[in-house]
Amino acid sequence: MPRRLGRSPRLRVGGLLVLLGPLLLAGCAGDYVARTRALREAYQGEDYPRALDMLAGEEQHGHPNDQLLVLLDRGMVLHAAGRWEESIQVLAEADRLSQELDGISVREEAGALLSNERQRAYRGEDFEKLMISVLQALNYAQLGKDEDALVEVRRVNERLRRMVVEENKPYEQLAIARYLGGVLYEDQREWDSAYIDYAQALELEPRLGPLAEPLLRLAKQTGREDAYASLLQRFPDLPHEPLGRGEGQVVVVVEVGLSPEKQSARRPYQSHAVELITVPVYRDRSTPPRAQVSGGADWQPAVTVTSLGQVATLHLEDRVGRMVAKQLAGAVVKAGLAAGAGAITKSEEVGYLTFLLLNLANEPDLRSWLSLPAEFQLARLRLPAGRHTVHVEVGGRVTSREVEVRPGRVSVVVMRRYY
């Protein structure tokens, strides 16, 4: 017959709940996604002052484990609001904190084994760390600081190189970073470097369509005859005449839609295993609409250069194996603690309750940088030098921005659209 719990075991159970209470409640206290729902609604409604006020409150009163997410969201809100200098400062702070958190302590890692990943400071997914530099490059480009923008583009490419070569991760270069590098090099008249980055972007995203125009033009200009012939076969109807003396270019970057969101999913510990483990997976929140861009009378569709849904899923899938191993290790630790509690109290029920309570918190970390766009869509315009108004239509809504077109130069215009 099962052992009856007397007064002493009950007291011990109560003490156990007191000890485990903070551990179990920490996951709820650290639910940044649920806590900032109203903030995201303000951001997506383009009420940027309200969103920033709410972020200030979150920074002051929120959970310290969410500090990186607060910085990332604030940097993105400032970026979307066109407050480029402020966004640069905040994202630089986020980048520094992310690097510090990468050196996570053994003590914090052990705490995560006893509960879950929500018990520790959010460090960011690999692709989110790369997105910091992509946004910084766009911020600098909007300020006309090509050299600083190129520094950030090079950082993206170098970080990815290390992840792929040194850490053996199944990633690839980001087409948006490579294409932006081509734009910046072209603006500085570094034709060879521009061609190389454009070519890499085309390799990563073969469906560039009209965005491949500078590749043909620069292949011919730099004497790459074989490459030019191959490109001409691939894009036989794509106009690529040299720029006229009074012409310039505008590259319109439209950050469209809502980035994917993490949800819980059940997976086996290993192939053919019956036991299931809970892991995060990315789910799309919307289908990004296609932007239309105009610098005058004619409209042209923007081209998706990078889908963050695809990038996020690839990066997270690579981490799932390590997460499974960690949860298995956590299960062993919890079983040992439960057995110890049962032995000390001489109660099988206390041991079982201990294991049950420890596993109640066994939920994956569903935090992520939700203010990011779903896609980076680009369009290129060739316009006479002077002041022009660029129009972007997404989902029936038209937004306009003025831009100065300079002879022989490439200007960058960034717009954020949500639905």
Side-chain angles (χ1 to χ4, degrees):
M1 293 184 60
R3 187 189 305 272
R4 293 181 178 272
L5 286 176
R7 176 179 176 81
S8 178
R10 280 201 187 99
L11 290 175
R12 291 189 180 106
V13 170
L16 182 64
L17 288 171
V18 170
L19 288 173
L20 293 177
L23 187 66
L24 298 171
L25 291 175
C28 298
D31 192 355
Y32 179 85
V33 174
R35 209 168 56 240
T36 55
R37 193 173 305 279
L39 185 159
R40 290 194 300 280
E41 290 174 357
Y43 165 67
Q44 293 160 19
E46 300 184 34
D47 189 352
Y48 300 130
R50 180 166 170 258
L52 290 169
D53 285 344
M54 297 175 77
L55 280 166
E58 183 65 29
E59 182 177 26
Q60 186 174 2
H61 304 294
H63 200 286
N65 282 352
D66 301 325
Q67 184 182 359
L68 178 61
L69 280 166
V70 174
L71 290 172
L72 293 173
D73 279 337
R74 189 198 299 166
M76 186 68 220
V77 172
L78 290 166
H79 172 85
R83 294 162 62 172
W84 318 114
E85 291 278 11
E86 294 171 83
S87 180
I88 287 169
Q89 294 173 10
V90 173
L91 289 176
E93 186 179 350
D95 194 28
R96 286 192 295 271
L97 177 59
S98 173
Q99 293 181 57
E100 291 174 10
L101 291 173
D102 277 342
I104 189 170
S105 68
V106 174
R107 178 181 176 183
E108 189 176 12
E109 196 72 44
L113 287 179
L114 290 178
S115 56
N116 56 57
E117 290 194 330
R118 291 184 296 172
Q119 286 295 112
R120 65 184 187 184
Y122 186 74
R123 293 180 291 175
E125 299 290 347
D126 283 345
F127 85 95
E128 292 175 342
K129 299 169 190 176
L130 298 170
M131 281 299 109
I132 294 176
S133 287
V134 170
L135 291 175
Q136 290 288 57
L138 291 170
N139 284 334
Y140 282 121
Q142 287 293 269
L143 296 170
K145 298 181 178 181
D146 283 6
E147 283 293 344
D148 292 318
L150 278 168
V151 168
E152 296 295 339
V153 168
R154 294 187 194 107
R155 287 188 70 198
V156 174
N157 296 332
E158 175 56 26
R159 282 180 172 183
L160 273 168
R161 187 201 66 80
R162 288 200 304 269
M163 290 176 184
V164 173
V165 176
E166 298 175 14
E167 301 173 29
N168 296 315
K169 293 181 177 178
Y171 302 162
E172 60 182 12
Q173 297 287 327
L174 289 172
I176 179 61
R178 283 296 188 178
Y179 198 90
L180 184 57
V183 169
L184 296 167
Y185 280 124
E186 186 181 1
D187 185 51
Q188 294 196 333
R189 294 175 168 80
E190 297 185 30
W191 314 123
D192 282 312
S193 296
Y195 175 85
I196 290 169
D197 270 15
Y198 282 136
Q200 182 67 47
L202 180 62
E203 183 177 335
L204 294 165
E205 178 45 78
R207 297 165 295 181
L208 287 182
L211 295 180
E213 180 271 334
L215 262 174
L216 285 96
R217 179 163 40 82
L218 292 175
K220 190 172 185 178
Q221 183 175 331
T222 57
R224 292 175 164 88
E225 298 300 333
D226 291 343
Y228 176 68
S230 176
L231 287 165
L232 202 55
Q233 279 191 326
R234 190 170 175 180
F235 303 99
D237 302 318
L238 184 58
H240 55 279
E241 301 84 7
L243 291 176
R245 294 184 62 182
E247 283 187 319
Q249 300 174 84
V250 179
V251 172
V252 183
V253 180
V254 192
E255 300 163 352
V256 184
L258 306 175
S259 62
E261 184 174 14
K262 286 178 182 173
Q263 296 181 0
S264 295
R266 303 282 282 172
R267 293 193 179 180
Y269 279 111
Q270 53 190 325
S271 7
H272 310 300
V274 176
E275 299 88 352
L276 297 177
I277 189 169
T278 306
V279 297
V281 295
Y282 276 109
R283 304 293 187 203
D284 290 336
R285 287 190 283 167
S286 63
T287 301
R290 176 71 56 215
Q292 300 286 327
V293 179
S294 171
D298 298 327
W299 291 83
Q300 61 175 281
V303 177
T304 299
V305 174
T306 295
S307 164
L308 284 190
Q310 296 174 4
V311 173
T313 299
L314 176 65
H315 283 220
L316 186 58
E317 282 293 327
D318 175 58
R319 200 161 63 82
V320 164
R322 298 193 298 275
M323 292 168 62
V324 169
K326 186 179 295 182
Q327 287 211 31
L328 279 171
V332 172
V333 172
K334 291 169 189 176
L337 288 173
I344 291 172
T345 60
K346 298 181 179 179
S347 168
E348 294 178 4
E349 290 87 347
V350 170
Y352 177 76
L353 179 61
T354 302
F355 188 74
L356 179 64
L357 290 173
L358 285 170
N359 279 281
L360 281 175
N362 190 25
E363 290 295 327
D365 187 358
L366 301 182
R367 293 172 293 179
S368 63
W369 189 0
L370 288 173
S371 52
L372 284 170
E375 292 183 355
F376 290 92
Q377 299 180 12
L378 273 62
R380 292 185 76 103
L381 305 173
R382 184 185 292 211
L383 298 168
R387 300 289 299 179
H388 291 268
T389 302
V390 172
H391 308 282
V392 173
E393 184 272 323
V394 179
R397 181 185 172 190
V398 177
T399 307
S400 302
R401 281 269 305 276
E402 285 206 351
V403 61
E404 181 71 32
V405 178
R406 299 161 295 170
R409 304 293 297 276
V410 189
S411 300
V412 177
V413 172
V414 181
M415 294 191 191
R416 179 74 172 97
R417 295 274 69 84
Y418 303 94
Y419 305 105

